[in-house]
Amino acid sequence: KEMVAFANCAGGLIVLGVEDNGHVTGLPVGEKNFEEWVANIARQNVVPGLDIGIETVHQEGKTVLVVDVPKGSDKPYQTQQNQFLTRVGSTNRVATQGELMRMFQQSGMFHFDQVAVPNTSINDLNMAALDQYFTPYEIEFSKETETERKQLLINTDILATSGETTVGGLLMFGINPSRYLPQASIMFAHFDGAEPSAELFNRQEIIGTLPYQVDTAVAILKNHLVRPSTIEGMKRIDTVALPPDRVLREMIVNACVHRNYGITGAQIRLFIYDDRIECISPGRLPNNVTVEKLRFGVSHASNPVLLKFMDNLRYIDRLGRGFPMIFREMEKLGKTVDVTEFGEELRVVIWR
């Protein structure tokens, strides 16, 4: 149960031979091969089998076994009794429906952007936007018959076979996506200080299709980043190096395309502080992606429908160059970028 819970979260250590109060009691000598016993549990009692690290430590003349359970790459894991467990603080608990759904999303077995949005239809889509999108493909969408239009939208994952819009289709071409997906928005705030408790300069919510959200968020961010300058000779010279526009754009695009839209009540948060810019998006990284791998361009399509459309509209290129570019450009300015996971969120911090 401990192994399953750790593997379904961010991993952890299990120490055998140490009591809960920290007292080292050690493992019984000669009773059995504890290393083999633990390895068998990981391979046979955890479904699917788990690769773990095992280290024997001698402490105060006693033997302690340290079991390193990694963040699972094949989530969700379960016990032989079909229990899907997750870790909360120092305890384990049975995963809720929402937590289980997020595990399937992280594994790539289920994509929320392909799910049909209840009570929607083709009437919730912007026909002009669709016409504009299909024109480069030599398709006159507005001149197609109703049956042909519906089939085209189903084939491109904008409509589900039920006739309802998909989450991805609504976010890209919806007339009012927030009516059905209130969590699909960006909350912007500019603080007069370095802490969330500071006074607010400005606060606003950005709603609409994803292309609109990205363009609007970038414009608002640029307007709120003061660019001090001075006159040297005949030229105006910036005295403070701000993040390049493409860094800001890439950070926001990544948040919009890769966030978990299945987490209700959670928006993307875009904050400006005196010393940093923060972008917090709901959802953890997929199973096979770590924070360290982002620097080297390792990526995973959490929302393949959104990724496809944003690629076709030239917001991204799907070559995994986004995060490496962010790190590289900020290093040129002598600034750092911090990327961390906490709970069910990913935080990107660009230091000013």
Side-chain angles (χ1 to χ4, degrees):
K1 288 183 177 180
E2 299 288 349
M3 289 183 187
V4 167
F6 275 135
N8 279 334
C9 292
L13 296 176
I14 301 173
V15 185
L16 304 181
V18 177
E19 302 301 316
D20 288 342
N21 61 8
H23 178 64
V24 179
T25 55
L27 295 172
V29 179
E31 183 171 311
K32 60 181 173 182
N33 185 334
F34 284 96
E35 186 171 336
E36 180 181 351
W37 174 69
V38 171
N40 287 338
I41 292 175
R43 299 301 299 173
Q44 300 172 13
N45 295 61
V46 177
V47 183
L50 191 61
D51 291 326
I52 58 173
I54 303 176
E55 181 184 2
T56 300
V57 179
H58 300 287
Q59 179 76 17
E60 301 176 7
K62 298 170 184 177
T63 300
V64 172
L65 204 66
V66 180
V67 183
D68 186 357
V69 182
K71 171 186 174 182
S73 59
D74 296 309
K75 294 178 185 175
Y77 292 85
Q78 60 181 315
T79 67
Q80 287 186 321
Q81 290 72 41
N82 302 317
Q83 278 188 307
F84 294 93
L85 301 168
T86 186
R87 190 79 177 172
V88 179
S90 60
T91 62
N92 303 328
R93 74 177 187 194
V94 176
T96 64
Q97 183 185 38
E99 289 169 335
L100 194 56
M101 181 185 70
R102 289 193 285 274
M103 291 181 202
F104 278 109
Q105 284 181 268
Q106 291 170 7
S107 69
M109 301 167 74
F110 165 74
H111 299 291
F112 190 77
D113 63 345
Q114 296 174 335
V115 173
V117 181
N119 303 317
T120 59
S121 70
I122 193 172
N123 295 327
D124 290 292
L125 299 175
N126 186 325
M127 294 297 115
L130 289 169
D131 214 15
Q132 184 178 7
Y133 175 78
F134 285 113
T135 295
Y137 301 97
E138 298 182 356
I139 298 174
E140 295 187 75
F141 183 77
S142 60
K143 294 184 180 180
E144 301 284 334
T145 66
E146 184 177 344
T147 301
E148 289 171 334
R149 285 202 300 265
K150 182 177 180 181
Q151 190 57 53
L152 179 60
L153 295 178
I154 290 174
N155 292 343
T156 51
D157 298 315
I158 297 173
L159 284 185
T161 54
S162 63
E164 298 167 309
T165 70
T166 63
V167 170
L170 189 65
L171 287 173
M172 293 301 303
F173 304 104
I175 296 173
N176 183 13
S178 61
R179 175 184 175 187
Y180 301 98
L181 301 169
Q183 72 271 27
S185 63
I186 299 175
M187 182 60 70
F188 169 81
H190 186 179
F191 295 93
D192 182 19
E195 298 297 333
S197 58
E199 292 292 324
L200 276 172
F201 278 131
N202 192 13
R203 173 186 178 277
Q204 55 186 297
E205 184 179 14
I206 305 167
I207 62 174
T209 61
L210 287 199
Y212 176 82
Q213 288 188 41
V214 169
D215 294 342
T216 304
V218 172
I220 291 174
L221 202 56
K222 289 169 61 177
N223 287 339
H224 280 263
L225 289 173
V226 180
R227 191 181 294 272
S229 61
T230 186
I231 301 296
E232 292 186 6
M234 301 296 291
K235 294 182 179 179
R236 181 176 293 276
I237 305 297
D238 291 337
T239 57
V240 174
L242 293 180
D245 292 352
R246 61 177 182 156
V247 167
L248 302 177
R249 185 179 182 84
E250 187 64 35
M251 176 182 67
I252 296 169
V253 168
N254 268 292
C256 289
V257 172
H258 297 296
R259 66 151 289 183
N260 187 338
Y261 287 95
I263 303 178
T264 58
Q267 304 162 298
I268 294 172
R269 280 112 69 206
L270 185 60
F271 298 152
I272 296 179
Y273 295 96
D274 285 351
D275 58 350
R276 66 192 186 279
I277 302 167
E278 284 190 9
C279 185
I280 305 169
S281 57
R284 300 180 65 87
L285 292 171
N287 286 356
N288 61 338
V289 180
T290 63
V291 169
E292 291 75 20
K293 289 182 178 180
L294 290 177
R295 180 181 290 271
F296 301 101
V298 176
S299 60
H300 179 92
S302 304
N303 298 301
V305 174
L306 295 178
L307 194 67
K308 172 184 67 178
F309 288 123
M310 293 295 275
D311 180 26
N312 291 343
L313 293 173
R314 302 294 186 265
Y315 281 85
I316 54 176
D317 61 15
R318 291 208 279 187
L319 297 177
R321 299 186 298 175
F323 264 106
M325 180 273 291
I326 291 175
F327 284 108
R328 184 176 62 253
E329 291 297 322
M330 295 310 297
E331 285 173 357
K332 289 179 182 178
L333 299 177
K335 302 294 181 180
T336 59
V337 179
D338 294 333
V339 183
T340 54
E341 284 185 297
F342 63 104
E344 288 296 329
E345 294 184 320
L346 184 73
R347 174 185 287 159
V348 179
V349 178
I350 294 177
W351 293 95
R352 298 177 63 183

